[in-house]
Amino acid sequence: MSGKVSPLRRLLRYADADRPQVYWASFCSVVNKLFDIAPEILIGVAIDVVVRQEESFLASLGIVDPVHQIMLLGVLTFLIWAGESLFEYFHLVAWRNLAQRLQHRLRIDAYDHLQKQDHSYLEQHNTGHFVAILNDDVNQLERFLDGGANAMLQVLTAVIGVGTVFFIINPTIAMLAFLPIPVIIYGAFWFQKRAEPRYNKVREKVSLLSSRLSNNLSGVTTIKSFTAEAREKSRLEQESTDYVTANREAIAVSSAFIPVIRMAILTGFLLTFCVGGYMSLQGDLEVGAYGLLVFLTQRLLWPLTQLASTIDLYERAMASTRRILDVLSVKSQLSNGGHKLPAKSVKGAISIDSVSFAYQSSRPVINQLSLDIQPGTTVAFVGATGAGKSTITKLLLRFYDPSSGAVKLDGVSLTDWDTQSLRDTIGLVSQDVFLFHGTVRENIAFGEPNASLEAVEKAAKLAEAHEFINELPNGYDSIVGERGQKLSGGQRQRLSIARALLKDPRVLILDEATSAVDNETEAAIQRSLTQIREGRTLIMIAHRLSTIVDADQIVVLDKGRIVQQGTHSELVAENGIYRQLWDVQTGGVA
């Protein structure tokens, strides 16, 4: 449906709450333009006073003395200029405030909507794509509302206002003066139709360029370590060149509009100038009226030269609007069960009942998997890369729903629980630790922003992080840098564990939390596991088998199926996949 509705109409629907502001801004633009064309009318009346004096148009209204007529025109000129200035201020403030408010709401709504989308949708696009929409596309719409909307309204007002005066004074000249208008309007639509796909292409190229910049700046360390600066510069240069090329194609179309309009304007002006002059010489048109028509013709037609740039701005804005509103129109495929989890009474019993799952257009990653996890126990999942370990994490957090079967918490399917309360009940420590730019305390308290310092310190101690935090320059108030770049990998991982523990979740998932840390950090995490596992269900996705030897149950996965299950000692005693993995990592020492 959204593809059939114009972006402007979709925007007006979105901005329904702002209609009073739109009406006020539009009213101010119209009144400002009416005041703007009024001085030309006064000039024509003044010429009429000078030429005809006691027989002028004003004299027919009862003001016979030419001096009084000029004084009246002076007063009217002052009032008109004051009114124009006043409504110039009003429409500038109204449109700019509307632009600011609308771009703010669009950005926040689109960002909030993205946060709530399924992982499947987010993983189909890169970060730069969304950054381009939330930043560049929103700003493009703001630029149009700042000036383009007012320009279009004022052109329309000028055509109607001046046209009315023309037809009142002399319908014949009015017809001649307005002769180019259909050509200009047809040309505007003709160029708009050809510019639209080109500007859509421009927005797509901006998205790709933003993605490249975002990706490269995030991976600058890797680029430097592989001395790939020149290659990455070349790739970025290609993306930028594609953007410039797309822009050049759009500009070539919009720029061609200006010469066409200028020639059409010249035709209308010459017709008024010559025919009106001839009629004035013949006595069929008063000199003042002739002067008025010449001035108004210029006032009517000349602003149309700006129509090309206005349409250019409009097309860019509508291409951006379409992308923004397309994001807002995306519907989540995961329904919200709506039942709030009673957090304090959650036991942490997990049941995976005949679950199968496949990502889009791929073979099943989980295949008819069934498993019961008792509350308060520690269960570890191991297996080769691609066995389905991390997919289980995504299913437990309900980033995805199973293709078939059901995942249950305390006997109730996850699809029946409120998604937010479900995730509040589960803590996650991922292999890919993400820390936000801010202090150590802010990062630990990310899930509980109102937590006291004592609670933060307690979580840090459980995660074996308190000691190194106190050694930082400002302790818990030390800035970690973007993505925690001022900390080591092990320090970031321990902060991530502390952040999860502060939530005090009934279910805690460690998704390969020790796979990329040093031996000292692994030992620290091992020491804290004894305390961490108390009173909660602990699920560990393990790469290093040394971290799971004390698990109550170890589940070995292969191609999405359970091939072994038992304690460490039981599995080492078997001649299976687990024993092979253990031998590789330890040299066969049980």
Side-chain angles (χ1 to χ4, degrees), residues 363-408:
R363 65 174 180 81
V365 181
I366 302 294
N367 200 340
Q368 289 294 309
L369 191 149
S370 294
L371 179 69
D372 288 323
I373 300 174
Q374 298 302 313
T377 61
T378 299
V379 176
F381 290 90
V382 300
T385 300
K389 305 185 298 296
S390 294
T391 299
I392 291 176
T393 298
K394 295 178 180 179
L395 294 175
L396 289 174
L397 286 163
R398 211 179 166 224
F399 291 158
Y400 295 91
D401 280 340
S403 305
S404 63
V407 181
K408 300 177 182 179

Side-chain angles (χ1 to χ4, degrees), residues 228-244:
E229 293 93 337
R231 184 169 70 250
E232 289 306 314
K233 176 190 174 184
S234 177
R235 294 170 68 181
L236 178 64
E237 187 174 19
Q238 183 60 52
E239 299 281 7
S240 183
T241 300
D242 290 344
Y243 169 61
V244 170

